[in-house]
Amino acid sequence: MKIIRNIFAFAATPLAAAAAYTLIKTFLDFTGKSANVHIPFWVGILAYIVFQIAFYKPMRTYVFGHELTHAFAGILSGARVKKFKVGSESGHVVLTKDSIWITLAPYFFPIYTFAVIVVYLFLGWFTDIKPLYPYFLFFAGLSIAFHIALTIYIIGIGQPDLKVYGVFFSYILIIAVNVIVFSLLMALVFPDEVNLKSLFTEMYYNIVHFYMFLYEGITQVVTAFKET
């Protein structure tokens, strides 16, 4: 089974790369064209980076969100939470069932960013939230930087979660699902700039072109090898 997962991950690597490229390019394109509107978002990202470098890594906060995401993913999958423990550097949650989505959920679901979005939309039921949009962008940027920076950090120091289904397979799956999740996030945070249909259509064409390019390259190499 591990071999099959690795073969699948290897075959899906171009897909994940092309999709990630499209997402990043789209994000940089529209933020660059209307930079003044998105300044609070970039300030939020920079604020967290400066905070982590100048002060400390808020690991307990991250670990709590990490384990809570495991728990939420388990509950949504029909599991029950039997134990929930959070420490300053690590945590542990025991569920009545497990799956690949439960195991890897914290690596592609920025729970604090979604909490910021939920709070912002909830306030829209009671007041005009347009004046609050700059503050929303700031906390969205702050929470995204928090999630990305500390997720990369804990992956770098080694995580048992990634070994359950194979490290390589887990990496590719995490990248691919992150592309989908962050596409949805962009549509929620920047609703006037991001059209999901257009974004996913562009991803599709870039993925197809990437595979065609690889196929043509491999064909040329094989042909040249046969002629020698």
Side-chain angles (χ1 to χ4, degrees):
M1 192 64 180
K2 183 178 179 180
I3 295 176
I4 295 175
R5 284 197 294 264
N6 284 336
I7 292 173
F8 174 82
F10 180 78
T13 299
L15 181 153
Y21 165 78
T22 307
L23 177 66
I24 294 171
K25 179 178 178 296
T26 300
F27 175 72
L28 293 178
D29 282 348
F30 79 75
T31 53
K33 292 176 182 177
S34 52
N36 291 336
V37 177
H38 304 123
I39 283 177
F41 181 79
W42 291 108
V43 171
I45 291 176
L46 181 61
Y48 177 76
I49 293 173
V50 170
F51 176 83
Q52 180 169 307
I53 294 174
F55 297 99
Y56 75 106
K57 301 180 184 71
M59 287 304 299
R60 186 181 290 275
T61 303
Y62 177 82
V63 170
F64 175 78
H66 183 100
E67 301 304 331
L68 188 62
T69 305
H70 278 309
F72 277 158
I75 291 171
L76 291 175
S77 300
R80 290 183 294 104
V81 179
K82 298 179 67 176
K83 184 178 180 181
F84 187 91
K85 181 180 179 181
V86 174
S88 59
E89 291 291 334
S90 63
H92 187 58
V93 60
V94 178
L95 302 165
T96 55
K97 64 182 293 186
D98 197 9
S99 71
I100 190 169
W101 304 111
I102 296 173
T103 300
L104 299 180
Y107 303 96
F108 51 70
F109 185 81
I111 190 168
Y112 290 117
T113 302
F114 275 96
V116 169
I117 293 172
V118 168
V119 170
Y120 179 69
L121 295 177
F122 178 75
L123 290 174
W125 286 84
F126 306 100
T127 185
D128 179 14
I129 56 176
K130 289 183 179 179
L132 300 176
Y133 187 61
Y135 300 98
F136 166 66
L137 287 182
F138 173 82
F139 285 107
L142 185 80
S143 60
I144 287 173
F146 166 86
H147 171 78
I148 293 175
L150 291 183
T151 298
I152 291 174
Y153 171 73
I154 66 164
I155 288 177
I157 62 177
Q159 286 296 300
D161 290 340
L162 304 182
K163 298 178 181 179
V164 176
Y165 296 96
V167 175
F168 179 54
F169 175 79
S170 297
Y171 278 148
I172 299 302
L173 184 63
I174 288 170
I175 292 171
V177 178
N178 263 303
V179 168
I180 297 173
V181 171
F182 275 89
S183 295
L184 296 174
L185 277 177
M186 284 205 317
L188 290 171
V189 177
F190 308 105
D192 296 331
E193 290 89 351
V194 179
N195 182 295
L196 279 179
K197 182 179 179 180
S198 298
L199 176 59
F200 287 140
T201 299
E202 185 178 356
M203 280 185 189
Y204 170 77
Y205 284 116
N206 284 342
I207 290 169
V208 171
H209 290 157
F210 199 177
Y211 275 106
M212 289 176 63
F213 172 78
L214 290 176
Y215 175 77
E216 290 173 0
I218 293 171
T219 301
Q220 290 176 5
V221 170
V222 171
T223 302
F225 180 78
K226 290 180 177 179
E227 292 176 353
T228 58

